[in-house]
Structure formats: structure tokens, C-alpha cells
Amino acid sequence: MARRRQTDPRQVTFQPPGEDDTASLAKPRTRPAPGRTKGVRWTNLINTGTRLDAYTIDRMDAACENTGLGVRDVWEQAINYYCDQLGIPE
């Protein structure tokens, strides 16, 4: 099997201005990643990225272990419980 000749990255190819070349060197030739044919479809969830102290993270981990729920579910239940206690309507 013949090896492909590797080009020297220091070599510059001159292209005169005004040429309309569809395979221009300035345009990267990329193809879509294998396995991903459709765009990502997000749900109607809103990102609520927060920073918690170590004590609160430990409590969150314990709540997840005790309830068997994920972080998002525990977070939603905690917010809903807090709002109920404050009398904030749904």
C-alpha cells in the first residue's frame, strides 16, 4: 500500500485574489460526527446552575440516597416545599 505524501505545514500555497474556488484552503473540510445525525432536542427545562457549600452538597447527596431520587427531583421537591411553606401559589 502506497503511503500518502505528507505536506509540510510550513509550506504556503498562493492563491491569486478573485478566484472563486469551492475547495478553498481557507475553508475547513469537516464532516458531521459519526453517530449524530440529528440535532440535540432539549426539553423545556431551564438551567439553574448554582454553587453550594460542602455542607449543603453533603445534605443533597444524603437526600438523594435516602429518597432514591436524582439531584433534579430532590431540588424541585425542596423548592416546591419551601414555596408551599411561604404560601406562594403554584
Side-chain angles (χ1 to χ4, degrees):
M1 182 169 170
R3 291 188 176 194
R4 271 171 73 175
R5 179 185 245 189
Q6 299 232 349
T7 59
D8 186 4
R10 297 171 292 176
Q11 181 68 31
V12 178
T13 304
F14 177 75
Q15 291 184 328
E19 283 189 8
D20 187 22
D21 188 12
T22 58
S24 173
L25 294 175
K27 296 177 185 174
R29 295 178 187 150
T30 60
R31 61 180 185 190
R36 178 174 283 187
T37 57
K38 295 183 180 179
V40 178
R41 302 184 93 190
W42 295 103
T43 61
N44 59 353
L45 301 177
I46 298 170
N47 184 7
T48 58
T50 59
R51 295 177 185 253
L52 304 173
D53 61 0
Y55 178 72
T56 307
I57 290 174
D58 291 341
R59 291 185 78 186
M60 177 71 83
D61 291 341
C64 290
E65 289 176 13
N66 291 341
T67 62
L69 300 173
V71 174
R72 189 195 79 205
D73 295 324
V74 171
W75 184 262
E76 286 178 354
Q77 285 188 4
I79 291 173
N80 287 326
Y81 176 77
Y82 184 69
C83 290
D84 291 343
Q85 296 301 314
L86 293 176
I88 298 172
E90 291 184 17

